[in-house]
């Protein structure tokens, strides 16, 4: 097909057809008999041509440029048409180069559906785009690139403008979609008007973005918004230049504000919850010539209807908290960036300071409100730090790892609460759950609660993922070295009710030997699974983990491993599994990585399980899982019979010993005299001092006690009873009769041996030795033959019994 393009000279329009960049010249342009690769048609020319191929849109592009001079003559204001007609269907660009004085302003007014500014490199869905450049003297500033279907309704410029419209070859668009009007000088680089009628948002950029905003320039964005709506401004990306004079700033003109214009730094939180229309201006500065830097800005304006409870505030009292932050954010923050089309939820810490993400620090009281239709799209992430640098100051402290009520009372779902526990190398961390206990989560033992704890132990060199735990298990205590991070993560709305019974506590303890130690007190009716930490990546090299399993006294535990071997090969060192009961003399079971793991076995006492890793060879990781069950202890009948028989033998032996001792006691043990302090013990023989004879006084009478009080030390070895206190034993070297003697002081015996007359008065004693002792003996069966002698001794009570005894010995 042939094409004819006829240009009128007064239209001042030029048409250029040329090959697309980086395309092979497989198609050409034929004008009569001439073949060429490009074509330029000037004003006043009429050209007919054809293409040498059937798909010229693959090889050629076309530019249609119209020059408009508003300086030397009148401007053709009004609607801008696409001229000339009858062009071939190629990708084409219409360019309107309008030259105007800087003392005048030009206005580009767009017809609906208006325009939407896009970032450099972004494309429009229908491939139709507009590009606006401002020309001041010889400088050109790129105001921006726009697609159709947006909120930008007008652009006012100072001086000339170069307007471009890019159409794809298949576009059927017949109108430019804008008109040009003359305006008075706007005294700034440009004014971009954005009309937002309902709940919506718009993203805008400073001129030349992402390059620098012109030095010491001023521009304005006008936002036309219904007075019934609320607008909020958010800066998403900005940078500052190096200023020599003035200061880069943003100014707001808000109708009804008592302090217009309101001036903000680019680093400040920008105004929010603005009722109705407002203006926002960006002011540059005089830049450093040697190092100017770049001033640029990308921001977003969100328009929302006022909330039903926009005047309702929520008290967040963090004045008593330490080292804690509370962040309220959208769901999926920070990894997920919400789509521009998503309704925006804003959190306000005062009526004009709102943002999509709000962080509150401890030590202050806040009153927050929400600009959001659906609060279920918001989440809370909190973080608290607890540290210990000296064990002397924090060993006895117990910290509660529960979510503060100030957070659970907010109408926002808690997403995560993180505790960061920091300590020196010589201090370890102990976590306890006394009542709820913890359950380790993995496929064989899944958690079904509304929240769980993820515990990570970290050092500068390694990170050990201890595991994921939830309440309602059998782990009472976990001791860990290094710095610990505990993350509570919620699942669903049930956390508010379940959080009431949280009992997780933490304390700092002295350095422990193993990397991690678990204390497990299982439910006797449950089967408990336990596994090594860092399950996904294997236990780190040279790490040792221990479990202490508490076995009730009336039960027996059964321990078994879920696999036959450790499944690793060691490059350096050895890997071990150690099992030992907590009882005296218990044997320790040890298995290396190259040996079979122990078969299921019964444990009758509380026991330890220790797993120590070596440095495995590449591609092998140590991951072990074991289980514990409980059963009541079964008492063997043979043991019962043996115990009964043993008790019977011991009883018989005891009875025999008692009988023998009793008989021996009756034969050998006389009654022993005890000194009576209530009678006169003057020595007889001194007539003046002792008026009555021994027969008439009671000086020789003693109370009688059992001989065990004196000879108790002899019974100690026979029955194990505690011996009474006795004096030191001295051997008796005098004559021994059938009864054990109870000797008087040795001085008496010496005097009595030299006395031959019983009626002779004994020599006087000193005052300290005035007391004499009489010993009463219980009559034995052997003494019956000596009845007459006893009667004679009984009749003469003036002599001590010992004297009679010795006299009898002399007679014999």
């Amino acid at each position: 097909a042939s094409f004819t393009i006829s240009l009128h000279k007064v239209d001042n329009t030029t048409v250029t057809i040329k090959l697309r960049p980086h395309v092979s010249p497989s198609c050409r342009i034929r004008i009569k008999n001439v073949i060429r690769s490009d074509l330029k048609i000037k004003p006043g020319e009429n050209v007919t041509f054809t293409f040498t191929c059937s798909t010229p849109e693959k090889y050629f592009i076309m530019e249609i440029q119209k020059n408009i001079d508003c300086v030397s003559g009148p401007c053709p204001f009004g609607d801008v048409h696409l001229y000339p007609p009858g062009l071939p269907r190629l990708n084409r660009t219409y360019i309107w180069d309008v030259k105007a004085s800087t003392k005048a302003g030009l206005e580009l007014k767009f017809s609906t559906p208006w325009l939407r500014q896009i970032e450099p490199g972004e494309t429009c869905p229908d491939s139709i785009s507009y590009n606006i450049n401002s020309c001041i003297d010889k400088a050109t500033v790129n105001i921006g690139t726009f697609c159709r279907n947006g909120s930008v309704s007008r652009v006012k410029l100072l001086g000339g403008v170069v307007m471009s419209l890019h159409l794809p070859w298949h576009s059927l668009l017949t109108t430019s979609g804008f008109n040009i009007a003359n305006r008075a000088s706007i005294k700034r680089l440009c004014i971009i008007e954005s009309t937002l009628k309902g709940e919506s948002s718009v993203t805008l950029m400073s001129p030349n973005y992402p390059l620098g905003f012109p030095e010491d320039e001023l521009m304005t964005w006008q936002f036309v918004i219904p007075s019934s709506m609320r607008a909020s401004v958010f800066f998403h990306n900005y940078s500052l230049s190096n200023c020599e004079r003035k200061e880069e700033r943003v100014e707001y003109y808000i109708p009804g504000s008592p302090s217009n214009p309101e001036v903000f730094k680019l680093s400040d939180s920008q105004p929010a919850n603005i009722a109705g229309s407002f203006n926002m201006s960006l002011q540059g500065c005089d830049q450093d010539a040697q190092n100017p830097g770049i001033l640029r800005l990308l921001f977003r304006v969100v328009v929302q209807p006022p909330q039903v409870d926009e005047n309702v505030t929520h008290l967040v009292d963090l004045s008593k908290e330490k080292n804690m932050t509370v962040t309220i954010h959208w769901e999926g923050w920070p990894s997920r960036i919400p789509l521009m089309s998503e309704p925006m939820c804003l959190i306000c810490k005062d009526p004009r300071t709102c943002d999509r993400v709000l962080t509150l620090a401890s030590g202050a009281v806040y009153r927050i409100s929400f600009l959001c239709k659906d609060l279920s799209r918001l989440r809370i992430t909190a973080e608290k730090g607890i540290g210990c640098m000296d064990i002397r100051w924090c060993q006895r402290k117990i910290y509660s790892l529960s979510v503060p009520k100030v957070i659970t009372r907010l109408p926002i779902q808690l997403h995560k609460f993180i505790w960061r526990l920091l300590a020196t190398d010589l201090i370890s961390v102990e976590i306890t759950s006394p009542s709820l206990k913890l359950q380790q989560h993995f496929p064989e033992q899944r958690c079904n609660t509304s929240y769980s704890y993820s515990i990570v132990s970290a050092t500068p060199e390694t990170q050990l993922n201890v595991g994921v735990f939830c309440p309602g298990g059998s782990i009472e205590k976990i001791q860990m070295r290094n710095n610990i991070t505990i993350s509570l993560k919620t699942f669903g709305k049930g956390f508010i009710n379940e959080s009431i019974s949280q009992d997780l506590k933490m304390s700092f303890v002295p350095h422990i030997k193993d990397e991690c130690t678990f204390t497990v007190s299982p439910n006797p009716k449950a089967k408990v699974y336990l596994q090594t930490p860092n399950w996904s990546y294997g236990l780190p090299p040279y790490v040792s983990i221990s479990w202490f399993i508490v076995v009730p006294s009336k039960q027996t535990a059964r321990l078994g491993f879920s696999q036959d071997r450790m499944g690793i090969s060691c490059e350096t060192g050895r890997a071990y599994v150690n099992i030992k009961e907590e009882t005296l003399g218990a044997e320790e079971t040890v298995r290396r990585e190259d040996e079979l793991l122990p078969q299921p076995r019964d444990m009758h006492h509380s026991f330890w399980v220790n797993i120590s890793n070596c440095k495995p060879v590449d591609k092998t990781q140590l991951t072990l899982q074991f289980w514990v069950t409980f059963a009541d202890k079964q008492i063997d009948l043979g043991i019962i019979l043996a115990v009964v028989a043993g008790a019977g033998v011991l009883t018989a032996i005891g009875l025999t010993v008692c009988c023998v001792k009793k008989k021996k006691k009756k034969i050998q043990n006389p009654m022993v005299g005890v000194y009576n302090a209530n009678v006169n013990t003057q020595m007889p023989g001194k007539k003046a001092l002792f008026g009555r004879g021994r027969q008439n006084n009671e000086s020789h009478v003693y109370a009688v006690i059992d001989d065990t009080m004196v000879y108790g030390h002899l019974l100690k070895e026979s029955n194990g009873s505690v011996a009474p206190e006795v004096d030191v034993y001295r051997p008796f070297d005098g004559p021994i009769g059938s009864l054990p003697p109870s000797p008087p002081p040795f001085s008496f015996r010496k005097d009595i041996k030299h006395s031959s007359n019983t009626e002779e008065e004994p020599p006087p004693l000193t005052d300290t030795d005035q007391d004499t002792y009489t010993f009463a003996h219980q009559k034995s069966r052997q003494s019956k033959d000596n009845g007459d002698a006893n009667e004679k001794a009984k009749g003469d009570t003036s002599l001590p019994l010992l004297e009679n005894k010795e006299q009898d010995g002399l007679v014999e």
Side-chain angles (χ1 to χ4, degrees):
S2 64
F3 301 92
T4 299
I5 297 177
S6 180
L7 300 177
H8 301 290
K9 193 167 186 177
V10 295
D11 292 332
N12 202 15
T13 300
T14 302
V15 176
T16 302
I17 301 174
K18 56 186 178 181
L19 286 170
R20 296 175 65 177
H22 312 296
V23 174
S24 60
S26 301
C27 187
R28 299 295 182 93
I29 301 171
R30 178 183 290 127
I31 303 174
K32 296 182 180 180
N33 295 325
V34 179
I35 303 295
R36 49 197 306 179
S37 59
D38 57 15
L39 174 64
K40 185 173 184 179
I41 305 172
K42 299 179 179 179
E45 293 182 350
N46 188 349
V47 178
T48 299
F49 61 93
T50 61
F51 294 100
T52 61
C53 63
S54 60
T55 57
E57 67 273 7
K58 294 181 180 180
Y59 303 95
F60 293 96
I61 57 175
M62 181 167 52
E63 288 183 358
I64 305 98
Q65 180 170 336
K66 181 179 177 64
N67 296 321
I68 303 172
D69 187 0
C70 294
V71 177
S72 57
C75 288
F77 297 123
D79 293 337
V80 176
H81 301 284
L82 299 182
Y83 175 83
L87 296 174
R89 300 187 58 166
L90 303 175
N91 290 346
R92 54 200 182 276
T93 301
Y94 291 91
I95 302 172
W96 295 271
D97 187 351
V98 183
K99 290 180 170 55
S101 171
T102 56
K103 297 180 180 179
L106 290 176
E107 177 183 283
L108 305 177
K109 186 177 182 180
F110 300 94
S111 57
T112 54
W114 299 329
L115 302 183
R116 173 177 62 87
Q117 189 173 7
I118 60 173
E119 296 184 48
E122 188 178 351
T123 58
C124 299
D126 57 2
S127 300
I128 298 175
S129 63
Y130 296 83
N131 185 262
I132 304 173
N133 289 273
S134 175
C135 300
I136 301 175
D137 298 329
K138 295 182 180 180
T140 300
V141 178
N142 180 18
I143 302 301
T145 302
F146 302 82
C147 300
R148 298 196 299 172
N149 297 318
S151 64
V152 177
S153 53
R154 287 191 295 180
V155 177
K156 302 174 185 179
L157 302 127
L158 180 66
V161 61
V162 177
M163 179 73 178
S164 302
L165 170 61
H166 304 277
L167 297 177
W169 67 271
H170 54 79
S171 174
L172 301 177
L173 191 67
T174 57
T175 60
S176 65
F178 70 96
N179 61 51
I180 300 177
N182 187 13
R183 289 289 180 265
S185 175
I186 58 176
K187 299 180 180 181
R188 60 200 66 204
L189 176 63
C190 66
I191 299 174
I192 298 176
E193 180 183 88
S194 179
T195 302
L196 300 161
K197 291 185 176 181
E199 184 174 3
S200 57
S201 66
V202 57
T203 299
L204 298 166
M205 285 145 273
S206 58
N208 281 342
Y209 187 89
L211 302 178
F213 185 68
E215 182 179 6
D216 196 23
E217 276 290 356
L218 172 68
M219 72 158 294
T220 298
W221 290 272
Q222 291 180 336
F223 297 97
V224 181
I225 301 169
S227 59
S228 61
M229 304 298 285
R230 302 290 182 266
S232 302
V233 181
F234 305 97
F235 287 3
H236 290 288
N237 188 21
Y238 70 89
S239 64
L240 303 175
S241 58
N242 298 314
C243 297
E244 282 190 345
R245 291 187 304 158
K246 300 182 183 180
E247 185 179 9
E248 296 166 335
R249 63 189 184 272
V250 180
E251 298 179 354
Y252 292 87
Y253 181 85
I254 301 173
S257 173
S259 57
N260 280 322
E262 296 185 19
V263 180
F264 291 80
K265 295 180 180 179
L266 275 74
S267 57
D268 294 336
S269 293
Q270 304 302 310
N273 202 22
I274 303 171
S277 302
F278 67 97
N279 293 350
M280 169 184 156
S281 298
L282 176 65
Q283 175 67 63
C285 67
D286 291 335
Q287 298 174 349
D288 184 352
Q290 301 298 325
N291 184 22
I294 292 177
L295 171 62
R296 59 185 172 191
L297 173 64
L298 183 149
F299 67 99
R300 188 181 182 197
V301 176
V302 178
V303 177
Q304 298 170 288
Q307 306 303 308
V308 176
D309 58 348
E310 65 175 336
N311 295 324
V312 176
T313 59
H314 302 270
L315 181 67
V316 182
D317 186 357
L318 302 179
S319 59
K320 297 181 181 179
E321 298 290 345
K322 295 181 180 180
N323 301 322
M324 178 173 162
T325 59
V326 178
T327 302
I328 306 174
H329 54 85
W330 68 81
E331 187 177 6
W333 173 88
S335 58
R336 188 186 74 87
I337 304 299
L339 300 175
M340 294 294 185
S341 58
E342 289 185 32
M344 182 173 286
C345 279
L346 302 180
I347 309 103
C348 307
K349 61 180 179 181
D350 60 59
R352 290 281 297 279
T353 306
C354 305
D355 207 337
R356 302 187 70 174
V357 178
L358 178 64
T359 298
L360 309 176
S362 56
V365 179
Y366 304 89
R367 293 186 179 275
I368 65 173
S369 59
F370 302 98
L371 285 174
C372 182
K373 279 186 175 181
D374 185 8
L375 292 179
S376 65
R377 294 188 287 115
L378 291 178
R379 295 290 184 271
I380 296 175
T381 296
E383 184 172 320
K384 183 177 180 66
I386 303 174
C388 178
M389 298 297 108
D390 191 336
I391 192 66
R392 294 175 298 175
W393 297 104
C394 42
Q395 184 174 5
R396 297 183 179 180
K397 292 183 180 179
I398 298 177
Y399 302 87
S400 175
L401 302 185
S402 59
V403 179
K405 292 183 179 179
V406 68
I407 294 178
T408 57
R409 288 172 181 167
L410 290 174
I412 309 298
Q413 180 180 334
L414 176 67
H415 169 62
K416 188 179 290 186
F417 198 107
I418 302 170
W419 291 274
R420 300 195 184 277
L421 314 178
L422 307 177
T424 62
D425 293 340
L426 298 178
I427 301 175
S428 298
V429 173
E430 179 177 285
I431 300 169
T432 60
S433 181
S435 57
L436 293 179
K437 302 181 185 178
L438 296 177
Q439 171 184 312
Q440 195 171 7
H441 171 79
F442 40 84
E444 292 81 1
Q445 190 173 261
R446 293 185 177 275
C447 291
N448 57 1
T449 55
S450 62
Y451 66 98
S452 67
Y453 299 99
S454 174
I455 303 177
V456 176
S457 171
T459 65
E461 297 81 17
T462 61
Q463 178 170 301
L464 179 68
N465 185 2
V466 179
V468 176
F469 303 86
C470 59
S474 58
I475 301 174
E476 287 184 346
K477 181 170 62 179
I478 306 176
Q479 289 183 325
M480 294 165 287
R481 298 191 303 186
N482 310 319
N483 295 329
I484 308 299
T485 299
I486 302 175
S487 302
L488 181 150
K489 188 175 181 181
T490 64
F491 309 96
K493 299 179 180 179
F495 171 74
I496 297 176
N497 296 326
E498 292 188 10
S499 64
I500 299 174
S501 59
Q502 289 182 84
D503 72 335
L504 197 66
K505 292 177 172 49
M506 185 280 300
S507 59
F508 293 102
V509 296
H511 183 74
I512 62 172
K513 178 182 64 176
D514 294 326
E515 192 76 23
C516 187
T517 301
F518 298 84
T519 299
V520 185
S521 181
N523 184 339
K525 298 181 181 180
K527 185 175 185 178
V528 178
Y529 287 90
L530 299 165
Q531 68 181 20
T532 52
N534 228 48
W535 184 262
S536 301
Y537 306 99
L539 207 60
Y542 308 118
V543 167
S544 177
I545 309 293
S546 293
W547 292 262
F548 180 67
I549 290 86
V550 178
V551 180
S553 58
K554 296 182 179 181
Q555 290 188 316
T556 299
R558 189 161 182 83
L559 168 67
F561 289 85
S562 301
Q563 56 206 69
D564 295 333
R565 294 180 177 272
M566 295 190 202
I568 64 168
S569 298
C570 291
E571 179 180 323
T572 307
R574 288 285 194 179
Y576 292 96
V577 172
N578 299 60
I579 305 168
K580 186 177 181 180
E581 287 187 295
E582 187 83 349
T583 184
L584 187 64
E587 294 184 359
E588 185 173 6
T589 301
V590 182
R591 294 290 188 274
R592 294 197 312 257
E593 81 281 355
D594 56 351
E595 298 175 326
L596 289 173
L597 291 173
Q599 294 296 316
R601 59 179 56 200
D602 291 335
M603 314 296 286
H604 302 283
H605 305 87
S606 299
F607 62 95
W608 286 91
V609 176
N610 174 267
I611 298 175
S612 302
N613 197 13
C614 60
K615 181 182 179 183
V617 299
D618 293 340
K619 298 181 181 180
T620 60
Q621 303 293 340
L622 177 57
T623 55
L624 277 183
Q625 184 185 96
F626 60 93
W627 49 264
V628 179
T629 59
F630 285 89
D632 293 335
K633 284 186 177 179
Q634 301 295 328
I635 302 177
D636 191 8
L637 183 59
I639 295 176
I640 296 176
L641 294 176
V643 170
V644 172
V649 171
L650 292 176
T651 303
I653 294 173
L655 290 175
T656 304
V657 171
C658 290
C659 292
V660 171
K661 285 181 62 180
K662 188 172 182 181
K663 183 175 180 181
K664 185 176 181 181
K665 173 182 173 182
K666 289 182 179 180
I667 297 173
Q668 297 182 358
N669 294 353
M671 299 298 288
V672 181
V674 177
Y675 171 68
N676 187 350
N678 296 323
V679 298
N680 191 347
T681 57
Q682 291 286 346
M683 189 182 97
K686 290 269 186 179
K687 305 288 185 179
L689 296 176
F690 201 64
R692 293 188 299 173
R694 291 178 60 88
Q695 192 170 357
N696 299 323
N697 65 53
E698 297 177 348
S699 62
H700 61 287
V701 179
Y702 292 85
V704 177
I705 63 171
D706 189 31
D707 55 355
T708 56
M709 297 297 293
V710 177
Y711 297 99
H713 64 287
L714 301 177
L715 303 176
K716 181 178 180 181
E717 296 181 359
S718 62
N719 57 9
S721 63
V722 178
E725 295 184 5
V726 296
D727 203 349
V728 178
Y729 171 72
R730 294 178 180 175
F732 179 69
D733 55 355
I736 300 176
S738 60
L739 298 177
S742 297
F746 188 76
S747 59
F748 282 157
R749 294 184 58 237
K750 184 177 181 180
D751 295 336
I752 294 171
K753 279 187 177 181
H754 290 83
S755 177
S756 57
N757 185 6
T758 58
E759 295 181 358
E760 184 178 348
E761 183 176 319
L765 300 175
T766 61
D767 291 342
T768 57
D769 295 328
Q770 290 179 3
D771 299 339
T772 58
Y773 298 84
T774 299
F775 294 87
H777 287 264
Q778 187 179 14
K779 293 182 179 181
S780 63
R781 294 178 181 176
Q782 294 178 356
S783 62
K784 289 182 180 180
D785 298 334
N786 302 326
D788 296 335
N790 290 341
E791 288 295 332
K792 184 179 179 180
K794 181 179 179 182
D796 186 7
T797 58
S798 62
L799 290 176
L801 177 61
L802 186 58
E803 294 180 4
N804 289 338
K805 281 278 193 179
E806 293 194 359
Q807 289 180 359
D808 293 341
L810 292 174
V811 172
E812 294 174 359

